Amino acid sequence: SPPRDAGASIQGEPIGPMTTGEAIIDIMNAVGYDIAIPGNHEFDYGMDRFLELTKKANFPYISCNSNKGGELIFQPYIIKEFDGVKIAFVGVDTPKTITSSTPVFFQDEDGNFVYDFCQDEDGSLLYSTVQANVDAARAEGAKYVILMAHLGIEGECIPYTSSEVVVNTSGIDAVLDGHSHSVVECERIKNKEGKWVLVDRKSVV
């Protein structure tokens, strides 16, 4: 299947900052990516620049919890059909983005935050947002739901880790998670209903 990206792809390598992300998008287009999600580093060149880059991309960015003024910035999920089977990919970015990137990029000229990522004290807003979109994808006929996440597992990611999202939701079959600088393949975590969910943690899948 085509490559899919779990965030933070346009930063890191020297060619990214040298072209403020454009060369990375060119590479992703050439390779044939079909879905990507934003990670906190996608916004390192500013929100305006990232939105400019998404228009250059030949693939959609998806995120169910990236908002401006209460409105979604991207499609929350996308459904693809393989041999007659519908599979939904739901995107989610870490709410820590609001502080782990450059906060001023998410503010207006008066310093008021106009962008948000469903950040709250206990993670419940993120869990309910993910759940609502998983349910919506199922209602559209998706047989399987894959969460494309940029959440991570370290202590600093709490309460928004991919593990916590799984434990507090149902209906997700697998999670492809980025953000943490580690690789954990095929971990199994029980969801809210006690069903096993496969979790694969690495940035590019």
Side-chain angles (χ1 to χ4, degrees):
S1 65
R4 301 178 181 115
D5 189 78
S9 59
I10 65 172
Q11 246 286 25
E13 298 297 329
I15 195 172
M18 287 172 61
T19 63
T20 57
E22 185 167 1
I24 303 298
I25 295 294
D26 288 340
I27 292 170
M28 293 172 76
N29 283 340
V31 170
Y33 279 74
D34 69 342
I35 311 173
I37 66 168
N40 55 306
H41 289 301
E42 257 66 37
F43 308 109
D44 284 358
Y45 311 121
M47 180 61 79
D48 290 343
R49 175 56 174 165
F50 178 54
L51 294 178
E52 193 176 81
L53 292 172
T54 63
K55 293 175 183 177
K56 183 179 176 63
N58 295 335
F59 49 88
Y61 274 87
I62 60 172
S63 175
C64 72
N65 69 311
S66 300
N67 306 283
K68 181 181 182 181
E71 299 291 330
L72 283 170
I73 305 170
F74 310 105
Q75 291 176 255
Y77 59 85
I78 190 168
I79 296 176
K80 291 184 171 287
E81 192 166 324
F82 303 92
D83 295 327
V85 178
K86 291 183 177 180
I87 301 176
F89 296 87
V90 178
V92 59
D93 189 11
T94 174
K96 298 280 187 178
T97 293
I98 201 77
T99 52
S100 60
S101 188
T102 305
V104 71
F105 291 156
F106 309 122
Q107 300 170 346
D108 62 19
E109 59 274 8
D110 297 319
N112 301 306
F113 280 95
V114 292
Y115 292 94
D116 76 85
F117 300 88
C118 292
Q119 64 275 2
D120 63 4
E121 293 296 323
D122 62 2
S124 58
L125 179 57
L126 181 69
Y127 311 149
S128 63
T129 298
V130 170
Q131 186 67 70
N133 284 281
V134 169
D135 293 345
R138 292 279 186 188
E140 283 190 43
K143 184 174 182 180
Y144 300 104
V145 176
I146 297 174
L147 190 70
M148 290 185 63
H150 193 83
L151 295 171
I153 56 174
E154 288 100 355
E156 64 185 24
C157 302
I158 296 171
Y160 311 120
T161 66
S162 50
S163 299
E164 288 168 303
V165 169
V166 169
V167 168
N168 287 281
T169 60
S170 60
I172 297 170
D173 295 291
V175 179
L176 305 175
D177 187 29
H179 194 45
S180 292
H181 293 254
S182 58
V183 174
V184 181
E185 296 184 353
C186 296
E187 180 181 1
R188 295 200 310 160
I189 299 173
K190 284 187 177 181
N191 70 5
K192 193 174 182 178
E193 296 177 340
K195 297 179 179 178
W196 291 109
V197 177
L198 291 175
V199 181
D200 194 81
R201 295 185 171 101
K202 51 190 174 182
S203 294
V204 180
V205 293

